[in-house]
Each structure stands twice: as C-alpha cells, then as structure tokens.
Amino acid sequence: MKNIWTIIKKELKRVFTDRRVIFSLFVLPPLTIYLIYGLMGMSAERENERVEEYTSIVYVINSPETIDNNGEVAPGFMDYLVDNKPIKTNLNTADASELEDLRDKLENQEIDLIIEFPSNFETKAINNETLGVNLIYNINRTYSQNAYLNYSSTLQNYETEIAGTRVDLDLLEVFDLSIDPVGDEEKAKGSILGMILPLLLVIYLMAGAMGIGIESIAGEKERGTIATLLVTPIKRSQLAIGKIISIAIIAVLSSIASFLGLLAVLPQFAKIGGEEGAIETASYALIDYGMILGIMLTTVLFFVALIVIVSTYAKSIKEAGTLIMPLYLIVMGAAFFNMFTQNVSKEFINYLIPIYNVVVALKAVFSFDLSITNWLITLGSTIIYTVLLIFLIQKMFRSEKVMFNK
Amino acid sequence: MLKVENITKIYRLSKKQMRLENTNESKKIAANKVSFDVKPGEIFGLLGPNGAGKTTTLRCISTLIKPDEGDVLIGKDRISVIRDDDKARGSLSFLTSELKLEDHFTPNYLFNFFGNLHGLDDETIERNKKKLFEKFGIDEFAEVKVSQLSTGMKQKASIAISLVHDPDIIIFDEPTNGLDVLTARTVTDYLEELRNEGKTIVVSTHIMTLAAKLCDRIGIIIDGKIRKVGSLKEILSETETDDLEDAFFKIFKKAKEEDGGVI
C-alpha cells in the first residue's frame, strides 16, 4: 500500500508541478468549451439582435377594410396591425397593379415582404368564401424570411378575428395562406453550406498544419537534429522557407483529404437538417471552386507560417503544443463567431482582418456571393500577412537565442 | 590556419537560471577574451571543467553563435560578427554529441542529403562516402535507419556525415563523450590521421589523458578565460609538475585565487 501511495504521489507531483500540463489539462478544456459555445451563442445572439433591430418594409396589396358581418365586426388589416405588428415594420399599402414592381423590389432586396389579399376581400369574407392570401418573400434575405415567418402568425391571428364574425362555427377557415418565394434557390442552398463549411474547412486547414508544423521544427530542436542542419552552409532563410513549403504541401494534402471526407458526409448533414437533397444539389461553377482553392492555399500558407513561428520559438514539442492552443482557439473563435451570420458581409474591412477574412470569404463563396474584388482583397491581405510572418521566421532562424534556447 | 582573437560571449540569465547557478548576477561571461591559434596539421585541445566555456568558444568558432566581441580568422578570410557565416561553414566542420541525426533516415540517405546542402556533386559525394564509410565501418549499416543504430554506430555515422565536405578545419566538442572504448579509439585514431593529412583540428575535452595523448598543444580554460596555452611539455615545465592532471589542478587553483573565487 505504501508503494502504491509513493507511486501516486510521484505521478501527481509530476502533473501538478508542471505549469504546461496544468494548463493543458485543467485550463484549456473549459476555456475551449467556454469559447466555442460562448462564441456560437454570441454569434446567434448578434444575428437575432440585428434582425430584431431591423425595420422590415412590408407592402399589403388589397388590404381589407373593416368587416361588418351583421353587426359582428372585425377590424381592417391595417387597423389590426396598429396594435399587433409582430416586428418593427414600415407598413405600406399598394394596388394590385403595383405587384410586378414590388416583386422586382423584393428580388432586389429593397423591400422584405408582400402580403397579397384578393380583391373585394371583405365581401367575399362575409359570404363565407375561403380565400387565398399570398405571402411573397425573398429566400436569400434573412430579414425577408423573418418578416414572412412573423407575418404568417399574425395573419393566422387575424383570420381568427374574422372567423369570430361568423355565426357558423364550421366556417372558421377564412383564408388559405400560400407562399410565393422569390430569389435564387442556389444561393439559399449555398447559405446552408456557408454556415458549416467555412467553419470545418478553416479548422481542418489549421489542424492539418499543426501536427506536422510542430514536429518539423520544435521536434528537430528537441531531438538536436536542427543544429546539425545549422552547421551546414545553407542559409537560415533557405532552411526556413524549405520548412514552410514542405509543411504547407503536407498540410494542403491533409486538408484535401479532410475535405473529401467532408464531401462524402455532406448528404448526411442534409438529412439531419431535414432538407434532404438540398446540399448536394447546390452546384458551384468552376470559378467558385477556383476561389475556394485560392483561399485554401493562401490560408494554409498563413496558418503554416503562424505554426512555424510557434514551433521555432518553442523548445520542445510539448511546449509548442501548449503555445499553439491559443492560436487554435482564435481560429476556432473566428469560425464559430461567424457561423450564424446568414447575410454575407460586403464590408471591405472584414476581408482584411487576418483569419476572420478567410471565414467571411469562404462563407460568401459558398453563398454564391463573393465578389472578385473581395476575393482578391482576402488573398492579397493573407499573402501580405504570410510574407510578414515569413520575414519574422527568418529573423527567428537567425537568432541564436531562439534556435539554441534549450 | 585558425586564429581566435579575443572572443567574448556574454549570456543573459533568466531568474530561473540565476537560481540554478546560485548567483545574483544577471549576466554570465561564458567566454572572456579567449585567444589562441591552430596551424594546419595540428590538434589543439581546449581543456577545462564543465561550464568553463569550451562549448561556447567552439560554437563561436563554428559560427553557430556570434561572439559579443572578438573575431575568428580562417585562412585568409576573416569571419566576424558581420561577415557571411554561411560561406565560412563550408570550410569547417563542427562535431558534437549534441548534433543528432534524424531517426527516420539511413546514414546513406543523410550523407547524400548533407552532401547536397554543402553543394557537392554526386561524384564527390560518392567518393567521400566510400572513404568515410569504409573508415568507420558504416557500410554494414548504411541502409539501416538511425533509430535502429547503437550509440556508437550513430556517433560514427554522425562523424562521417559531418565530414562529408572534406573540410580544412574540424572542430570537435568532447569527441569521445558517451562512446565505448573501441569507438572512442576509432575516433581518436581518425583525428590523428586527419592531422597527418594537414587538417586544422580543435577538440574540447575535460579528459586529461585524452588531451595529453591526442593534442599537440593545449589551452586550459577556466571560468571563460584561457589560463595557459602550450604543448604538454611546456605546460608541465611551466607548472613544474609531472602530469597534466597535476598541472591542471595547479592552474585551476591559481585561477580561482586570481578571481577571488572558491575552489
């Protein structure tokens, strides 16, 4: 028993006297969970807030006036909405003749919803006819989808108000709601992919580069094999670039392998989402694949450069593993933070922020909404950051404090 | 010809290092105006206890680290803190047990790899490989991965690979460290052979018998300073002793008295 206790004490001492082990065992896991779920929650909340703050532009065609069914009165639709607006709304009425113009505006995302009542709704309602009310919204616009969902419920409540004017309780169904979505279906499918794929791709790219990047330099330092290279006439810069390129090649291959696995499992994602077939039928053009590839290649180089800096600075694989975690968390954070944002960012600045720009650009390309300018900004800025990091790596390779810091 | 002129190297100590070294000083002078020269066809031994500054001096000579002061001259080319170290490394070889070979590869592969890094053509690599592999008996395990080799085999392979470019100057930190008697003998015999070929050789050691037997001249280094330089005969004569160990302790004691330290 004494021996067992001696062994236990030694093992516990080994763990609790090593700050790195304490960090990776007891600090990192809760931090990771907090960060990932916190950012996911923050992203969802941010999106909700944005949608809630927005004032939807809604047009009502043939808006019903007050319905008076033998003394039983239901308010007109606009009057009903005075106290029952489901969301912040800029309400407008229009004639049926304006429908085509409004549809165009809806497609151009200038307005959010058209509620089309049939003509002479009041009379037909009194005659107990079942009518069709059409909701027209844009499937590519979050605000429009939100307006459609909220006004569907409001219309059902309004239906109950009208039904209350009827004597015959079997005639509670006043109207059928029909929907008429406008917009690009491909884009809608793409936005589903845009939620998941940037996240997975960015994490795979980072993870693919991490293992090999840590091993390649910190591993060589730990084993003493890097010094053998440093006593040859090879320039430190050549050694650094050779390492970076070889790690990048392996990381790209690794991320392609992960990507193929992802493609294989995508149909399952669609089933989980209840939209079977939606994802696999989203079809991208060659230029989209080119854009994705361009982003992947520059990103992997950027990630490799980041990892090489950590790996060069660290004295051992263990230290590099600990130091790399905060970077990994930042990458995951950027990916999760953007997960629930459905609208593709058009702001120039978002395509300049390191790491985040890649997530935003991937999201945009999967949603068929990445302009060549924003693509070039993403690629250009990522390449510039990578070149700066490579300069730093070369400087580190020339520093004896860094290379011989055992 | 190798000339070391007033090399000084100062390390800044972290708080942890200060604690470990039991000192309040945040700086440690690892090499303090170290000067000596070595002629072609000569083995110069840097003899000193652990922590005396031997490895730091050799690292400065081999351009792995830069001295804070002083210069190293190789032949007619002067290598200083601002010169192109990459070219200098082409004419010297630095061997130490700290330098390891990657486990995943074979001695044959690594020999070719380092030959390429030195810019040698295939023919030269093959010629040098034949000579060195035969000398160290590496042919038998040339295609075995380093991970599967014994310590002696690894050291032999490491030495052969370090000499792939047939350098004029060979710097060897603790050449027999960790080797069995037979391998150690192979190494010292080969160093003598290289001396006879006219190579300029510097070795560091704390083993008195090795220094006495192998080195043409010896520099005794204590606390970063060279305290005595000369042939074995000269050192024994100047210290009025009969063997190198006695001479060393006499010099060590005097050094500590001069520096006001504790023996």
Side-chain angles (χ1 to χ4, degrees):
Chain A
M1 190 62 200
K2 197 184 165 193
N3 288 342
I4 294 172
W5 179 235
T6 308
I7 298 287
I8 291 170
K9 274 200 298 188
K10 176 241 167 194
E11 290 301 316
L12 292 178
K13 186 178 168 63
R14 192 168 60 85
V15 170
F16 287 104
T17 52
D18 188 332
R19 272 183 286 183
R20 288 189 198 105
V21 176
I22 291 173
F23 179 76
S24 60
L25 278 181
F26 306 114
V27 180
L28 204 58
L31 193 67
T32 312
I33 292 168
Y34 179 79
L35 199 77
I36 290 172
Y37 289 100
L39 282 170
M40 277 172 75
M42 205 192 287
S43 171
E45 197 181 319
R46 196 177 59 141
E47 181 69 7
N48 279 343
E49 275 174 11
R50 207 163 53 84
V51 171
E52 274 173 25
E53 285 303 309
Y54 178 76
T55 304
S56 299
I57 304 171
V58 177
Y59 276 81
V60 185
I61 293 176
N62 296 327
S63 179
E65 299 294 333
T66 308
I67 298 167
D68 188 343
N69 194 357
N70 296 322
E72 294 292 333
V73 178
F77 187 56
M78 298 306 271
D79 294 336
Y80 176 76
L81 289 180
V82 170
D83 293 326
N84 295 295
K85 264 185 215 162
I87 50 174
K88 286 185 185 174
T89 312
N90 174 0
L91 260 180
N92 304 278
T93 55
D95 293 332
S97 60
E98 294 174 71
L99 182 60
E100 283 313 305
D101 275 355
L102 290 172
R103 280 185 80 98
D104 287 345
K105 283 186 175 173
L106 191 64
E107 282 200 39
N108 294 334
Q109 306 196 353
E110 291 167 31
I111 65 171
D112 300 300
L113 181 69
I114 305 168
I115 303 170
E116 185 191 9
F117 286 92
S119 56
N120 298 322
F121 180 87
E122 305 83 350
T123 318
K124 288 171 184 168
I126 291 167
N127 293 337
N128 296 338
E129 287 178 41
T130 301
L131 306 161
V133 175
N134 199 18
L135 287 168
I136 311 168
Y137 72 101
N138 189 329
I139 53 172
N140 302 131
R141 186 167 160 88
T142 316
Y143 300 134
S144 185
Q145 289 177 26
N146 185 53
Y148 150 66
L149 288 172
N150 280 288
Y151 273 93
S152 297
S153 311
T154 306
L155 279 164
Q156 281 161 9
N157 294 338
Y158 182 58
E159 185 184 20
T160 313
E161 288 273 335
I162 300 171
T165 66
R166 295 182 176 180
V167 180
D168 189 347
L169 290 178
D170 290 335
L171 295 170
L172 288 180
E173 195 175 335
V174 180
F175 52 77
D176 283 331
L177 276 181
S178 61
I179 51 168
D180 183 6
V182 300
D184 188 338
E185 252 183 68
E186 285 289 301
K187 270 194 177 182
K189 288 168 191 168
S191 74
I192 303 169
L193 290 178
M195 275 179 78
I196 311 159
L197 285 189
L199 170 88
L200 294 175
L201 263 182
V202 166
I203 290 173
Y204 284 146
L205 287 176
M206 181 75 178
M210 260 170 60
I212 184 76
I214 289 173
E215 161 65 26
S216 179
I217 299 171
E220 284 222 42
K221 280 173 88 176
E222 186 175 313
R223 293 190 299 271
T225 52
I226 195 99
T228 316
L229 281 170
L230 295 176
V231 293
T232 67
I234 185 173
K235 285 185 188 299
R236 301 281 164 99
S237 56
Q238 292 171 335
L239 178 58
I241 291 170
K243 287 272 182 192
I244 291 167
I245 293 174
S246 57
I247 297 165
I249 290 170
I250 296 162
V252 167
L253 291 176
S254 163
S255 56
I256 287 173
S258 302
F259 188 59
L260 291 176
L262 183 67
L263 287 181
V265 83
L266 269 181
Q268 301 300 319
F269 267 94
K271 282 175 198 165
I272 293 165
E275 292 184 44
E276 193 171 352
I279 286 174
E280 68 253 58
T281 54
S283 53
Y284 294 96
L286 203 60
I287 189 167
D288 299 317
Y289 285 109
M291 281 178 158
I292 295 170
L293 192 67
I295 296 169
M296 276 177 70
L297 290 177
T298 47
T299 306
V300 87
L301 274 174
F302 176 70
F303 283 167
V304 164
L306 273 179
I307 292 162
V308 165
I309 283 180
V310 173
S311 187
T312 308
Y313 177 78
K315 299 180 192 77
S316 63
I317 293 176
K318 192 172 154 190
E319 186 180 0
T322 308
L323 292 176
I324 207 97
M325 272 305 149
L327 269 182
Y328 193 42
L329 290 181
I330 290 171
V331 170
M332 283 169 66
F336 278 106
F337 188 63
N338 201 39
M339 190 178 176
F340 291 107
T341 311
Q342 286 193 5
N343 285 356
V344 168
S345 174
K346 300 269 197 278
E347 286 166 40
F348 166 79
I349 191 80
N350 283 336
Y351 294 89
L352 280 174
I353 304 167
I355 302 173
Y356 188 69
N357 61 351
V358 171
V359 182
V360 174
L362 280 173
K363 190 178 193 74
V365 77
F366 281 118
S367 307
F368 302 92
D369 215 359
L370 181 63
S371 67
I372 292 287
T373 313
N374 284 342
W375 181 65
L376 287 174
I377 291 169
T378 308
L379 255 58
S381 59
T382 308
I383 289 168
I384 290 169
Y385 301 138
T386 309
V387 168
L388 291 175
L389 291 177
I390 290 172
F391 273 117
L392 181 62
I393 293 165
Q394 289 183 11
K395 213 171 152 64
M396 290 174 84
F397 264 71
R398 281 194 289 268
S399 162
E400 61 192 61
K401 270 187 191 161
V402 174
M403 299 309 287
F404 300 102
N405 58 353
K406 272 198 167 179
Chain B
M1 174 74 178
L2 170 73
K3 199 169 170 63
V4 177
E5 282 184 347
N6 291 316
I7 279 185
T8 299
K9 182 71 185 174
I10 301 167
Y11 291 122
R12 293 189 189 283
L13 300 179
S14 65
K15 282 186 180 164
K16 190 179 174 188
Q17 285 168 321
M18 285 164 69
R19 213 169 41 243
L20 288 172
E21 301 231 345
N22 199 20
T23 176
N24 292 324
E25 298 287 330
S26 60
K27 287 178 187 172
K28 182 185 178 182
I29 306 173
N32 192 351
K33 297 189 186 306
V34 172
S35 298
F36 60 86
D37 53 56
V38 192
K39 295 175 197 69
E42 185 181 43
I43 299 179
F44 183 86
L46 208 50
L47 178 69
N50 291 339
K54 304 187 293 293
T55 301
T56 298
T57 305
L58 296 193
R59 281 181 164 192
C60 287
I61 299 170
S62 63
T63 76
L64 266 181
I65 59 174
K66 290 183 193 301
D68 295 308
E69 284 173 31
D71 281 334
V72 178
L73 290 76
I74 296 176
K76 289 172 189 168
D77 298 325
R78 189 181 181 87
I79 308 164
S80 68
V81 285
I82 53 165
R83 294 296 170 104
D84 186 354
D85 296 340
D86 305 323
K87 276 187 189 164
R89 279 195 282 269
S91 58
L92 57 82
S93 173
F94 180 48
L95 295 95
T96 161
S97 52
E98 273 182 43
L99 301 186
K100 301 274 169 45
L101 300 175
E102 281 208 63
D103 279 353
H104 185 71
F105 300 105
T106 65
N108 189 36
Y109 176 87
L110 289 169
F111 196 91
N112 294 343
F113 169 74
F114 282 99
N116 288 328
L117 285 186
H118 279 281
L120 305 179
D121 59 57
D122 291 349
E123 200 183 318
T124 312
I125 292 173
E126 284 308 315
R127 194 174 56 243
N128 292 351
K129 189 196 292 176
K130 190 171 184 298
K131 182 181 152 197
L132 287 161
F133 277 23
E134 203 175 292
K135 171 61 61 188
F136 288 101
I138 295 170
D139 284 321
E140 324 167 4
F141 55 87
E143 292 300 341
V144 179
K145 281 188 179 179
V146 171
S147 59
Q148 292 165 349
L149 301 180
S150 69
T151 309
M153 286 169 168
K154 280 181 187 168
Q155 185 74 330
K156 283 177 180 176
S158 185
I159 293 167
I161 288 166
S162 303
L163 299 171
V164 59
H165 55 305
D166 193 21
D168 291 331
I169 297 162
I170 295 152
I171 300 148
F172 210 151
D173 191 13
E174 303 281 1
T176 57
N177 212 11
L179 298 182
D180 63 66
V181 180
L182 292 174
T183 314
R185 183 60 186 252
T186 311
V187 171
T188 52
D189 284 354
Y190 189 61
L191 284 174
E192 286 177 342
E193 213 173 290
L194 288 169
R195 168 180 57 195
N196 297 338
E197 285 175 17
K199 306 285 186 193
T200 308
I201 302 166
V202 185
V203 298
S204 78
T205 185
H206 61 276
I207 304 167
M208 307 290 164
T209 49
L210 179 72
K213 191 175 170 222
L214 185 68
C215 303
D216 300 302
R217 285 191 307 131
I218 297 164
I220 293 176
I221 184 168
I222 296 161
D223 291 339
K225 287 184 193 166
I226 293 276
R227 310 291 174 154
K228 185 77 75 187
V229 178
S231 66
L232 177 63
K233 199 174 164 185
E234 286 165 350
I235 290 173
L236 296 182
S237 161
E238 282 177 32
T239 53
E240 298 173 344
T241 51
D242 293 330
D243 65 35
L244 187 56
E245 193 171 308
D246 289 342
F248 177 81
F249 276 107
K250 212 165 180 178
I251 293 165
F252 183 79
K253 196 176 169 187
K254 194 179 168 200
K256 289 292 176 186
E257 280 167 5
E258 281 171 5
D259 296 347
V262 181
I263 302 170

